[in-house]
Amino acid sequence: MDKLSKTGKGAKEKLYIDRIASQQYGFEANIAAASSQSPRERNPDEIEVARDNGITDVATTPLTLNAAECALDDKIEGHYSSSTFASSISGEADSLDYSLKEKNFAKNETHDTQANANDSTSAIDSANADSDDSPFEVVRTAVSNTDNPDMPSMTFRSNVLGVFFVCLISFVNQFYWERDNPIALNLLIVQLLCYPMGIAMAWSLPKKTWNTFGYKWSMNPGPFTIKEHVLISLMSNASAYMALTVDIFAVLRLYYNPDFSLWTALMLLLSGQLFAYALAGLSRSLLVLPAPMIWPSSLVNASLFRTFHEHDTYAEPKDAFPSDVDAEQTIAPTQISRKSRWRFGSLPKTSRTQFFWICFAGSFVWYFVPGYLLQVVSTISVLCLVAPNNHLANLIGDGKQGLGVLSFSLDWSVFSNAFLNSPIATPFWAACNLFIGFVLVFWVALPIAYFKNVWGSASLPLYGANVYTTNSTPYNISRVMRNGVFDNQAYESYSPLRMSLEFSWVYGIGFAALMSILVHIALYNGKEIISRVRETKTKHDDIHGKLITRYPAVKTWWYLVLLIISCATGIGVGVGAKIGVPWWGYLVSFAIAIVLIIPVGIIQAVSNRQPGLSLVAELLSGIVLQGIPTGYSILKLYGHGSLAQALSYAQDMKLAHYMKIPPRHVLIYQVVGILISVVIQTCLFFWLIDHIPGMCRPEGYPWVCRSTNLVYSASIIWNLIGPLKVFGEGSPYSPLLWGFLFGLFLPIPIYFLQRRFPSNRLLKNIYIPVILSGIVGLPPMPPVDFPMWFLFGFIFNFLIHRYWNMWWQRYNFTLSAGLDSGLALSGIFQFLALSQNGIKLNWWGNRIDRQCPLSSQPWIAS
């Protein structure tokens, strides 16, 4: 039995990392049985299926994933195989057996320690090597304690692929962000696509060495390495949240300052991103370097990278696998269950790469139907088709502006988009929690309250992110502003602010969600966080910290200079452009991010959860910069956007730390990624505004800018009028403040019930913060998205996962990546080749506004 199985702590750590994989990529965690099973304990079903597949000595054959089934491409299987934990990224975590992994580590730790000590002549036994590793079992399971300083990292290949992917991700994410159903290409797609491209370049590029001004380099220094793979991913991930920040400038340009220039937006966004990166760099001594700051999501990504490269030329020693075990003749526990309809050898012969391109082509072609030829299939409302002139049927059935009951879609951008991400990549237990919150609030509580006219809501539209007067007319901000700031006397003579019932509930539920996640972290992770903070003093340098010291470090003063320059640039450009925010408002925004990054970063680094930073920024902006609507944009840029980006950069730095990437290479790639993404996304957005008629308005469909309109309404609520008037005494929305107290106490009984009944499967999968967060995105998300997203998740992450598990393991995430990528490029092609050339189809199949013509009208006419 392996070392981890001998101790309760080891089993706990393995369950922990598997749960993180579940949270990150959608793998249901339950590896205790697999890891504790003796190599000779096999049930009759396992023995029968194993013998059917040519494995005769079943009793001594360890259980693990079939390495051939984990290959990304059958043609390049010889370049790598999968480690046991890394296989969980490609398949179901229930299939894991850690016995082989532990044997591998124990056997090659002698080689690892020798390399780390740079003493090839000394032989160190595995017992001594075992002590020279991370003090945390969860890290030892996922991250190699070896490094090869001769492995190429910053190469011609990584430069080309890095720039290509950051351009692709930046362009696609910004292009789709303002559409009705925005999609987002993420790091997983880059990781999947980058590997075969890197292998192809290593196979085809010339190996000639070039001499440029005394610097010798080669287009092809050898096999495509894991360090190149990581650097490419880090560069592309620099643009992950950029589209969210561009919304801020969209509001300034469209609603507050039509003269807001592209140059000003570029400089402000660049200063915000570089400020975030400098902040992450300055906090690395507390958030990145200490061993207790684990950053669990980075462990999952590290394992995925090792899946591809574990046995490449520069990777683990050739004898990492025991010679007496054939990795091709191993089987997984879940694969031999009677529940699985697929037996070994019955899977399609299609490789994952081939399957990706099949999905890509199908998605590319099909999106011409909902995207151009027959747009009504994007949202089909059955009740509206049956009774198009019935007001009640319109309100209940409309999937865009109603409750979305009995609405469905044939458009993949409805199933998988930036609001909910891919249903395939979300664990089913999390999807159930989210959908429970949606059903209870949106389909049960909301219609009851709306049709009872709670807070006068029935005189307003049922759903939307717009703000209104008490007469149900759109709120005219010019009536309450003088010289760009709030005028209280004009406000008193005009009208208090009103919003749709669901929109107001989003804030109340958001208050509860913010408190519930803090309480949840305190209950479930509080002791661990305190312990990890204390351990930073004694466990600062684990083996990974020691190995990274062989590379030149980034000087602290580099980050400090970058921080000062970015802050000065932001203040100078903002004040010079006369945005309306005083210089001290910028300092307050900077201070919020600087003060919060360490405590929030520690929480995320240990618990893998991030408190609701957006709501915190909105509350502070409403208090500090009340009356200045443009102050919302600035504080969101530097106080919230930069803080969220800084934590993302810190997490990427930790991944690079685990993978032993030279820190200065990381600096170069991340900064270059920031520069490229800022230029592409900002320029693209301004170009779209200038070339798309009616953009961010209903007549500009599909460019309706749901998120931008939400930001505009939020700037009125929080900064122009302020939280004291909107949620204070005398306002109908003041009861929403009870959400803070509600969220404070709600997780407590669930916590004690889970401790009292630890074996109850229903209780252990209830997560109050997840349930509450399920409704926070409504609006701006179209209501039809949620049930369609859950339906697809139910089909793939429950039915197929349970009954066709081998297919799920092999193709599930490849399917998601292929569909997302095909749709993205199809939409861009349609826009450039058809829409921009005036080639449009004006017929009833593209008149989406005629399905439910009455859904935008309030139930009670004013």
Side-chain angles (χ1 to χ4, degrees):
M1 188 177 295
D2 60 55
K3 178 183 62 179
L4 289 178
S5 300
K6 293 179 181 179
T7 64
K9 180 179 179 180
K12 181 179 179 181
E13 294 285 5
K14 288 188 290 181
L15 288 172
Y16 174 75
I17 193 170
D18 196 63
R19 189 163 202 81
I20 297 306
S22 172
Q23 294 170 351
Q24 185 75 4
Y25 285 111
F27 309 124
E28 297 185 34
N30 185 17
I31 62 171
S35 61
S36 61
Q37 188 176 14
S38 170
R40 292 186 175 272
E41 294 174 355
R42 301 291 184 268
N43 62 50
D45 288 341
E46 297 171 350
I47 296 174
E48 176 186 354
V49 175
R51 287 174 176 168
D52 289 342
N53 288 273
I55 303 176
T56 55
D57 192 6
V58 183
T60 59
T61 304
L63 296 174
T64 183
L65 283 176
N66 188 326
E69 297 300 327
C70 293
L72 180 67
D73 189 336
D74 294 339
K75 296 181 181 180
I76 55 176
E77 284 175 359
H79 289 281
Y80 66 95
S81 59
S82 81
S83 64
T84 312
F85 174 76
S87 301
S88 69
I89 306 302
S90 302
E92 163 59 20
D94 290 344
S95 304
L96 301 183
D97 175 17
Y98 282 82
S99 58
L100 181 57
K101 178 72 174 180
E102 291 301 310
K103 290 179 181 179
N104 298 342
F105 280 172
K107 186 165 184 177
N108 67 15
E109 273 169 346
T110 301
H111 302 277
D112 298 345
T113 310
Q114 290 172 347
N116 298 339
N118 293 319
D119 183 8
S120 59
T121 60
S122 62
I124 303 176
D125 60 26
S126 61
N128 292 333
D130 187 53
S131 64
D132 195 13
D133 205 337
S134 171
F136 301 100
E137 200 91 43
V138 65
V139 178
R140 292 201 296 270
T141 304
V143 183
S144 173
N145 64 341
T146 67
D147 180 38
N148 185 347
D150 297 325
M151 180 186 295
S153 55
M154 190 169 65
T155 65
F156 174 81
R157 292 185 305 234
S158 61
N159 293 340
V160 172
L161 291 177
V163 172
F164 168 77
F165 277 108
V166 75
C167 290
L168 176 66
I169 298 297
S170 300
F171 186 90
V172 170
N173 288 356
Q174 184 58 55
F175 180 86
Y176 279 93
W177 183 248
E178 306 299 349
R179 292 170 69 95
D180 191 39
N181 280 299
I183 65 171
L185 301 184
N186 53 32
L187 179 61
L188 179 60
I189 290 179
V190 176
Q191 291 171 310
L192 291 175
L193 294 182
C194 177
Y195 184 78
M197 294 176 69
I199 292 293
M201 293 182 73
W203 180 78
S204 61
L205 288 178
K207 297 183 179 180
K208 178 181 177 181
T209 301
W210 306 80
N211 192 325
T212 305
F213 302 108
Y215 175 74
K216 295 183 179 181
W217 61 280
S218 173
M219 289 185 179
N220 190 355
F224 183 62
T225 70
I226 190 172
K227 294 189 178 184
E228 292 177 284
H229 199 170
V230 173
L231 279 176
I232 294 166
S233 301
L234 294 183
M235 180 183 285
S236 64
N237 204 40
S239 62
Y241 300 100
M242 207 74 71
L244 298 171
T245 312
V246 175
D247 274 338
I248 297 168
F249 302 122
V251 170
L252 291 175
R253 170 71 181 269
L254 294 171
Y255 301 106
Y256 291 113
N257 185 2
D259 297 325
F260 187 72
S261 67
L262 171 62
W263 172 254
T264 302
L266 275 172
M267 295 305 296
L268 286 176
L269 184 56
L270 184 60
S271 70
Q273 299 305 308
L274 293 180
F275 167 73
Y277 188 75
L279 197 59
L282 289 172
S283 62
R284 73 193 191 285
S285 61
L286 294 175
L287 297 181
V288 177
L289 298 181
M293 298 296 104
I294 288 177
W295 293 91
S297 295
S298 296
L299 297 177
V300 178
N301 286 318
S303 297
L304 179 55
F305 285 118
R306 294 184 67 194
T307 300
F308 293 113
H309 299 271
E310 187 76 17
H311 295 283
D312 278 347
T313 302
Y314 290 107
E316 301 290 344
K318 293 181 179 180
D319 59 347
F321 277 94
S323 57
D324 58 338
V325 177
D326 186 356
E328 297 290 334
Q329 292 185 342
T330 54
I331 56 178
T334 56
Q335 293 175 355
I336 58 178
S337 170
R338 289 179 180 266
K339 295 180 179 179
S340 181
R341 305 284 179 86
W342 248 302
R343 298 298 187 183
F344 268 31
S346 64
L347 269 175
K349 299 300 182 180
T350 306
S351 70
R352 284 177 175 166
T353 302
Q354 293 170 335
F355 186 74
F356 170 85
W357 289 113
I358 292 173
C359 296
F360 176 92
S363 179
F364 183 93
V365 173
W366 172 251
Y367 190 62
F368 276 86
V369 177
Y372 181 73
L373 299 174
L374 189 64
Q375 296 177 3
V376 292
V377 301
S378 179
T379 301
I380 301 174
S381 302
V382 175
L383 293 180
C384 291
L385 293 177
V386 174
N389 297 320
N390 186 297
H391 195 187
L392 180 61
N394 276 230
L395 290 175
I396 295 176
D398 190 4
K400 297 289 186 182
Q401 302 180 84
L403 297 177
V405 177
L406 295 182
S407 290
F408 66 96
S409 175
L410 301 177
D411 181 357
W412 176 246
S413 69
V414 171
F415 292 86
S416 174
N417 53 57
F419 296 128
L420 287 168
N421 297 319
S422 173
I424 296 177
T426 304
F428 187 64
W429 66 264
C432 289
N433 279 266
L434 291 168
F435 193 63
I436 287 172
F438 170 81
V439 170
L440 292 178
V441 174
F442 205 77
W443 281 354
V444 177
L446 178 61
I448 293 175
Y450 181 77
F451 291 114
K452 285 184 174 293
N453 198 26
V454 173
W455 301 340
S457 58
S459 62
L460 300 173
L462 172 62
Y463 183 77
N466 297 323
V467 291
Y468 305 90
T469 66
T470 52
N471 295 325
S472 304
T473 58
Y475 206 87
N476 186 353
I477 60 173
S478 63
R479 296 282 300 273
V480 297
M481 292 177 64
R482 294 292 183 273
N483 299 321
V485 296
F486 179 73
D487 187 322
N488 188 67
Q489 185 176 357
Y491 171 78
E492 296 294 339
S493 62
Y494 181 48
S495 171
L497 180 142
R498 295 292 181 265
M499 47 186 152
S500 67
L501 187 61
E502 169 60 19
F503 191 17
S504 65
W505 280 10
V506 163
Y507 286 116
I509 296 172
F511 299 151
L514 173 62
M515 298 306 298
S516 69
I517 192 171
L518 294 176
V519 174
H520 183 93
I521 291 172
L523 292 174
Y524 291 86
N525 306 102
K527 293 181 180 179
E528 185 180 14
I529 291 174
I530 295 173
S531 175
R532 295 285 169 83
V533 171
R534 290 174 177 172
E535 289 171 349
T536 57
K537 300 178 181 179
T538 58
K539 295 183 178 180
H540 187 92
D541 289 328
D542 61 353
I543 183 60
H544 308 293
K546 295 175 183 177
L547 292 175
I548 204 69
T549 57
R550 65 177 51 169
Y551 304 105
V554 178
K555 305 294 184 183
T556 300
W557 68 266
W558 293 5
Y559 292 116
L560 186 60
V561 170
L562 186 60
L563 182 78
I564 295 173
I565 293 176
S566 59
C567 290
T569 301
I571 296 174
V573 172
V575 174
K578 298 181 181 180
I579 293 178
V581 180
W583 62 269
W584 55 266
Y586 293 87
L587 295 180
V588 170
S589 302
F590 295 139
I592 291 174
I594 293 173
V595 170
L596 292 180
I597 186 170
I598 298 301
V600 175
I602 290 175
I603 291 174
Q604 185 173 348
V606 174
S607 69
N608 203 41
R609 296 178 177 89
Q610 186 182 104
L613 301 177
S614 179
L615 193 58
V616 172
E618 289 173 337
L619 285 169
L620 293 175
S621 69
I623 295 173
V624 177
L625 298 174
Q626 192 275 326
I628 307 175
T630 53
Y632 181 88
S633 296
I634 297 303
L635 198 139
K636 285 282 284 187
L637 171 63
Y638 294 109
H640 167 238
S642 294
L643 177 57
Q645 282 282 38
L647 294 172
S648 176
Y649 295 144
Q651 180 169 291
D652 287 347
M653 289 178 182
K654 188 66 177 186
L655 175 61
H657 181 81
Y658 282 142
M659 308 309 293
K660 323 309 184 294
I661 311 296
R664 295 187 180 182
H665 292 182
V666 176
L667 171 70
I668 294 172
Y669 273 64
Q670 288 187 309
V671 171
V672 170
I674 290 172
L675 295 175
I676 294 175
S677 59
V678 165
V679 172
I680 290 178
Q681 294 197 345
T682 309
C683 292
L684 176 60
F685 176 77
F686 274 76
W687 186 88
L688 291 173
I689 289 180
D690 295 335
H691 290 80
I692 297 179
M695 185 171 177
C696 297
R697 291 174 175 81
E699 58 270 21
Y701 182 89
W703 307 91
V704 294
C705 308
R706 288 181 175 270
S707 181
T708 298
N709 289 327
L710 176 66
V711 172
Y712 168 62
S713 297
S715 70
I716 299 174
I717 294 169
W718 293 102
N719 280 78
L720 178 60
I721 298 176
L724 295 180
K725 292 184 180 295
V726 176
F727 301 104
E729 186 178 357
S731 169
Y733 308 119
S734 59
L736 295 174
L737 297 176
W738 287 99
F740 287 109
L741 190 63
F742 181 73
L744 185 66
F745 288 102
L746 190 57
I748 297 176
I750 300 298
Y751 171 75
F752 285 106
L753 285 173
Q754 290 174 342
R755 289 173 61 89
R756 176 65 179 83
F757 305 101
S759 60
N760 188 296
R761 296 185 61 185
L762 178 62
L763 276 176
K764 73 179 182 180
N765 286 317
I766 295 178
Y767 287 82
I768 297 301
V770 179
I771 293 176
L772 293 175
S773 65
I775 203 67
V776 172
L778 290 160
M781 178 176 61
V784 69
D785 290 13
F786 225 124
M788 291 296 96
W789 173 84
F790 179 76
L791 174 63
F792 207 87
F794 172 76
I795 293 173
F796 279 85
N797 284 347
F798 179 75
L799 294 180
I800 294 180
H801 166 266
R802 184 172 185 178
Y803 296 107
W804 295 278
N805 188 262
M806 290 176 61
W807 189 98
W808 187 93
Q809 292 182 36
R810 185 173 177 86
Y811 296 122
N812 197 51
F813 299 99
T814 305
L815 171 68
S816 179
L819 294 177
D820 285 346
S821 303
L823 183 148
L825 295 188
S826 179
I828 295 172
F829 176 82
Q830 293 172 38
F831 176 76
L832 297 178
L834 301 174
S835 300
Q836 282 304 102
N837 293 316
I839 305 175
K840 299 182 180 179
L841 294 179
N842 292 319
W843 68 301
W844 68 266
N846 287 342
R847 294 300 304 273
I848 60 171
D849 56 331
R850 293 186 177 180
Q851 269 198 70
C852 303
L854 303 178
S855 61
S856 61
Q857 299 179 13
W859 179 243
I860 299 177
S862 57

